């Protein structure tokens, strides 16, 4: 899931072992998406998930940020606990 988060700032990393191209050993990788192990990854994924839920007319509980709800009609509702 963390691989789908969009990064806010510019983050560079060393080339992964086994993927270093001859002649480009001193180059680095510019990350466009978050990776496991980055401090920003959980937050970026959560922001993307929340954006998706809001786009689909869910509202987040003010008491628990992991609880989303959506009224489908007067009798039915959808509850999602993340």
């Amino acid at each position: 899931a963390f691989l789908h988060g969009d990064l806010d700032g510019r983050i560079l990393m060393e080339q992964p072992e086994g993927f270093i191209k001859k002649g480009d050993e001193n180059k680095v990788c510019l990350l466009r998406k978050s990776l496991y192990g980055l401090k920003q990854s959980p937050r970026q994924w959560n922001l993307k998930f929340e954006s998706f839920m809001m786009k689909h007319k869910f509202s987040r509980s003010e008491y628990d940020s992991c609880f989303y709800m959506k009224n489908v009609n007067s009798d039915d509702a959808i509850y999602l606990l993340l």
Side-chain angles (χ1 to χ4, degrees):
F2 288 166
L3 301 177
H4 296 287
D6 299 316
L7 295 172
D8 290 338
R10 183 177 167 163
I11 298 180
L12 302 171
M13 67 174 259
E14 294 179 4
Q15 294 182 54
E17 193 174 314
F19 292 93
I20 299 173
K21 187 177 175 185
K22 288 187 179 185
D24 291 334
E25 295 87 1
N26 295 324
K27 291 188 176 181
V28 294
C29 299
L30 172 64
L31 297 180
R32 296 177 188 254
K33 296 282 188 177
S34 59
L35 291 175
Y36 290 102
L38 287 179
K39 292 179 186 178
Q40 300 91 327
S41 294
R43 173 110 175 102
Q44 294 308 116
W45 179 83
N46 192 289
L47 289 172
K48 189 163 191 161
F49 181 81
E50 182 177 357
S51 170
F52 175 85
M53 296 302 285
M54 297 302 143
K55 188 168 77 173
H56 287 85
K57 308 287 192 245
F58 279 80
S59 59
R60 191 171 71 175
S61 169
E62 61 185 81
Y63 302 106
D64 186 345
S65 61
C66 295
F67 182 71
Y68 294 87
M69 59 201 129
K70 176 181 179 179
N71 291 325
V72 180
N73 55 44
S74 60
D75 295 330
D76 297 319
I78 299 172
Y79 301 105
L80 181 109
L81 184 59
L82 178 62

